[in-house]
Amino acid sequence: MRLITAIIKPFKLDDVKAALEQFGIKGMTVSEASGYGRQRGHTEVYRGAEYQVDLVPKVRLEVLTEEDDAEDVIDVITKAAHTGKIGDGKVWSVPVDTVVRVRTGERGPEAL
């Protein structure tokens, strides 16, 4: 199994969620995040004064999936989150050794 994590722009969450549901993903975890990449934040003007915004708001999305589906899920997320502009985000996956559904005690793929 793989844990796929994506950091995306907040306004793309609905598009990514819909694409994952269409692909057949049944569950995901979404949390608010903030950070910066190559763009190092941005500047904004408030009441005539310019100031630096160091941390840009993002959304962190986590999906557990079978090993065979991992690359396809990464492609689905990447296509749905793409805007072509700086700050689109990152997607990565890591191996998962054990998954247990707390309610039933199911382990492995049955716990997804």
Side-chain angles (χ1 to χ4, degrees):
M1 282 181 287
R2 306 289 295 184
L3 173 64
I4 299 170
T5 305
I7 305 295
I8 61 172
K9 291 183 175 184
F11 71 89
K12 294 301 284 183
L13 177 60
D14 288 338
D15 295 342
V16 172
K17 184 179 165 197
L20 286 171
E21 287 173 354
Q22 186 175 7
F23 181 78
I25 296 298
K26 295 182 173 87
M28 63 188 77
T29 300
V30 177
S31 50
E32 292 181 13
S34 59
Y36 65 87
R38 291 184 181 167
Q39 80 268 22
R40 296 273 192 230
H42 62 277
T43 58
E44 289 187 5
V45 177
Y46 179 72
R47 293 189 177 185
E50 188 174 292
Y51 65 98
Q52 181 71 22
V53 177
D54 294 330
L55 299 176
V56 180
K58 300 286 183 177
V59 171
R60 180 182 178 119
L61 178 74
E62 295 174 310
V63 177
L64 276 171
T65 187
E66 293 283 349
E67 189 82 32
D68 296 341
D69 293 333
E71 286 301 318
D72 292 334
V73 171
I74 290 171
D75 290 342
V76 167
I77 294 170
T78 302
K79 288 175 185 164
H82 181 264
T83 67
K85 298 181 180 165
I86 192 163
D88 271 355
K90 297 268 190 292
V91 182
W92 64 90
S93 72
V94 293
V96 174
D97 294 329
T98 305
V99 176
V100 179
R101 183 176 308 213
V102 174
R103 180 177 55 87
T104 63
E106 294 170 297
R107 293 180 172 268
E110 294 81 30
L112 295 178

